[in-house]
Amino acid sequence: MPRFAANLSTLYPEHDFLDRFAAAAADGFEAVEYLFPYAYEAAELRRRLDAHGLRQVLFNAPPGDWDAGERGIAALPGREAEVREGVDRALEYAAALDCPRVHMMAGLVPQNADPAPYRATYLSNLAHAAERAATAGVDILIEPINGRDMPGYFLNRQADAHTIVKEVGAPNLKVQLDLYHCQIVEGDLTATLRRDLPTGRVAHLQIAGVPDRHEPDAGELNLRHLMSVVDELGFDGWIGCEYFPKAGTSEGLGWRHTFQGDNA
C-alpha cells in the first residue's frame, strides 16, 4: 500500500518548522521530507525525528542562494567547487539523520542559452556526487520540474532525466518523479508510471493536486487510480506529500483515508 511522507516545507505552515515533526506524527505520518535542513543543527533534527518516531526519507542538497532566486547549481558552469562542498555537507546531514536520499537541483538556465555546457556540467557533477554518496549508502536524485512554477529550470521531462541517469551510469543515481510536475509538463501519468517504475530508476514519488498544488485529491488527477497503478507495479518507496494545504493541514488530510492499510 502507498507509504506517504509529510513534506514539512509545505505542510503544517501553521506551526514553526521544528514543531511540524510533532504535528506530522500526531496525524499518523511515519516519515518526513523537506527542502533543506541546513538552517538547523543536525543533532536537533535528529532529536525531533527520534522523539516522534519519524524517518527522514529525503531532503535537497544546498541550492546556491535560494533567497536570491537560485534553484540549484548542479548544472551551472563555474560553480563546481560549490557543488562539491554542498554534496559533502548534504552527506554529513544524511549520515546524522539516517536519510537514504538527497535531491540535487539542477538550476536555472538563461533563455536561449546553449544547453550543451550546462548538460556537461550537470553530468560531471552528478557523477562526482553519486561516487561520493555511494560510500555512504545514499542515493542521489534528480527531478524534472515544470517551467510554469520554475521558469528556466534545466530539467523538465521524465525521459531526459532517465537518459541522464543512464549516461552517468551510477547505480545510486535515481529519478524523483513528482506527479504534479509531470502532469503539467507532459501528462499521460499512467503510461509514465508503467514505463518508468519497472526500470528501477525511480526512487521517490511526490504528489499534489493539479493545477493549484493543494490536496492531491483536488483537481484533475485521479489519485485513487494513480496509487492503484503504483501498487500494481510494486513500488515500495515513499510518496512525498509536497502540496500547499488549502486550509489547515490536518483538516485537509481526509484523502489519506481512501487508502486502507496505509499510514493514515
Side-chain angles (χ1 to χ4, degrees):
M1 303 299 289
R3 299 192 298 164
F4 297 112
N7 188 302
L8 301 187
S9 295
T10 60
L11 300 186
Y12 304 103
E14 58 269 36
H15 299 286
D16 290 337
F17 179 78
L18 290 176
D19 294 331
R20 297 178 190 183
F21 293 83
D27 280 333
F29 284 105
E30 297 175 359
V32 297
E33 61 179 35
Y34 41 73
L35 291 180
F36 311 110
Y38 311 108
Y40 305 93
E41 293 293 332
E44 179 58 34
L45 297 173
R46 176 81 264 174
R47 282 192 291 271
R48 301 284 172 154
L49 293 168
D50 292 343
H52 302 293
L54 293 166
R55 297 173 61 180
Q56 181 78 47
V57 297
L58 177 74
F59 61 82
N60 293 349
D65 192 340
W66 185 267
D67 292 338
E70 290 193 316
R71 293 296 181 263
I73 56 175
L76 304 188
R79 306 288 290 274
E80 291 85 353
E82 188 178 349
V83 170
R84 295 187 177 207
E85 291 173 4
V87 168
D88 289 344
R89 190 178 184 201
L91 291 176
E92 290 174 2
Y93 272 83
L97 304 178
D98 195 24
C99 181
R101 298 166 203 89
V102 171
H103 170 217
M104 286 183 66
M105 297 187 72
L108 308 180
V109 175
Q111 188 174 12
N112 300 321
D114 178 3
Y118 295 91
R119 193 175 192 279
T121 300
Y122 196 31
L123 267 65
S124 175
N125 282 331
L126 291 175
H128 170 80
E131 182 178 6
R132 292 281 295 144
T135 63
V138 171
D139 286 343
I140 298 295
L141 306 189
I142 60 174
E143 177 191 20
I145 295 176
N146 82 78
R148 184 176 72 196
D149 288 358
M150 200 173 289
Y153 193 74
F154 180 74
L155 184 65
N156 307 124
R157 303 187 71 85
Q158 302 303 313
D160 292 339
H162 284 264
T163 296
I164 287 169
V165 167
K166 287 187 287 186
E167 284 190 28
V168 173
N172 64 322
L173 179 62
K174 303 288 182 66
V175 176
Q176 180 175 318
L177 170 53
D178 187 317
L179 297 177
Y180 166 81
H181 291 305
C182 185
Q183 171 68 5
I184 292 171
V185 175
E186 53 199 291
D188 210 10
L189 297 183
T190 298
T192 298
L193 289 167
R194 289 182 173 152
R195 179 193 68 204
D196 291 345
L197 290 193
T199 68
R201 291 191 293 269
V202 177
H204 192 74
L205 298 177
Q206 290 178 321
I207 54 173
V210 180
D212 297 321
R213 210 168 188 176
H214 294 317
E215 280 72 9
D217 64 337
E220 65 197 52
L221 299 186
N222 184 334
L223 184 65
R224 180 192 288 270
H225 167 72
L226 292 171
M227 293 300 98
S228 73
V229 173
V230 169
D231 277 347
E232 165 199 322
L233 295 168
F235 180 76
D236 62 356
W238 291 93
I239 301 172
C241 302
E242 191 182 37
Y243 65 86
F244 298 96
K246 191 170 184 179
T249 303
S250 299
E251 293 81 354
L253 287 173
W255 62 268
R256 284 196 310 156
H257 301 298
T258 300
F259 306 98
Q260 298 300 318
D262 70 7
N263 54 338

